[in-house]
Amino acid sequence: MNKRGSEIEQSSGNHSQTTTQEGYLPHDLQRLINALDKKLLEYLRPLNFTPQQYRVLQIVSQLNPISIGEIARLAVIEQSVVSRMVDQLRYRKILTKAKRSDNGRVVDVQLTTTGRALADELQPVAEAIVKQSTEILTEKERALLTKTLSRVFDHVMATNSAVPETLGSRVSAPDDETGGTPPTIEAIESSSRRAQPVHQSAGSKGGR
């Protein structure tokens, strides 16, 4: 383990416990991700790196070479966003990209020598953060946590409908205070355009 990883293990966190909206899985997971990213950012910020860029770097370092589409699938990030991040890292000579010889529509991404050195330097840091964050769990609990999260993720990705039909049919926009249905954005914009000439006309009369 390098120096940065050792520093993380030696540090102790005496943060007060806060429990807000516990039991809502997306909130609980996002709160955990934000807390872990905050720790990681202490080491990424001097390198002008974001947590998302580091996830891309991690994936490429493990599956080098890999297509942009596959990075997007594994990271669950829009392909257009991944493509921009790859271009940013390519500009910094951390990654390279090239069209696949047998399929010009597929773009493969690889680490440069600089990228490999950076990935090797940051990996122990990321691992130390996870180790410190899960030290309250037993080895069996850590294995179960990883397995459970993987099962939930696979299930979510395999589920076609975003909302169960029985619930989706009940979701509707709330009525306004007058008891009617709120106007659409298009109706508001249309009303605004119709009102605009009236204000202009009033202004021109005032200027005479």
Side-chain angles (χ1 to χ4, degrees), residues 23-71:
Y24 181 58
L25 185 61
H27 169 78
D28 291 339
L29 293 177
Q30 190 61 59
R31 185 172 61 170
L32 176 60
I33 290 170
N34 289 344
L36 293 173
D37 281 350
K38 186 176 181 179
K39 289 177 177 287
L40 186 61
L41 266 173
E42 294 179 20
Y43 300 89
L44 295 181
R45 192 175 286 114
L47 301 173
N48 196 24
F49 246 67
T50 67
Q52 276 195 327
Q53 286 176 327
Y54 177 60
R55 290 190 186 102
V56 169
L57 182 69
Q58 271 187 316
I59 291 171
V60 177
S61 68
Q62 294 166 5
L63 300 170
N64 193 40
I66 181 174
S67 70
I68 289 179
E70 190 67 5
I71 295 172

Side-chain angles (χ1 to χ4, degrees), residues 36-150:
L36 293 173
D37 281 350
K38 186 176 181 179
K39 289 177 177 287
L40 186 61
L41 266 173
E42 294 179 20
Y43 300 89
L44 295 181
R45 192 175 286 114
L47 301 173
N48 196 24
F49 246 67
T50 67
Q52 276 195 327
Q53 286 176 327
Y54 177 60
R55 290 190 186 102
V56 169
L57 182 69
Q58 271 187 316
I59 291 171
V60 177
S61 68
Q62 294 166 5
L63 300 170
N64 193 40
I66 181 174
S67 70
I68 289 179
E70 190 67 5
I71 295 172
R73 186 187 70 81
L74 293 172
V76 197
I77 301 174
E78 291 291 334
Q79 186 163 327
S80 59
V81 176
V82 171
S83 184
R84 285 196 297 271
M85 285 193 286
V86 167
D87 284 338
Q88 291 166 357
L89 298 179
R90 185 168 66 105
Y91 178 78
R92 297 173 61 182
K93 303 191 185 308
I94 293 171
L95 300 177
T96 63
K97 71 175 187 178
K99 291 182 178 181
R100 192 172 292 177
S101 58
D102 59 342
N103 187 348
R105 293 178 298 178
V106 178
V107 177
D108 278 335
V109 179
Q110 287 184 287
L111 291 176
T112 63
T113 303
T114 300
R116 172 54 67 187
L118 183 60
D120 290 345
E121 179 183 0
L122 288 174
Q123 187 61 27
V125 175
E127 290 176 354
I129 289 173
V130 173
K131 183 177 180 180
Q132 182 195 55
S133 302
T134 59
E135 63 187 3
I136 61 170
L137 304 177
T138 64
E139 185 175 346
K140 185 176 180 179
E141 286 173 330
R142 285 194 294 270
L144 180 60
L145 174 63
T146 300
K147 183 177 180 180
T148 302
L149 289 175
S150 294

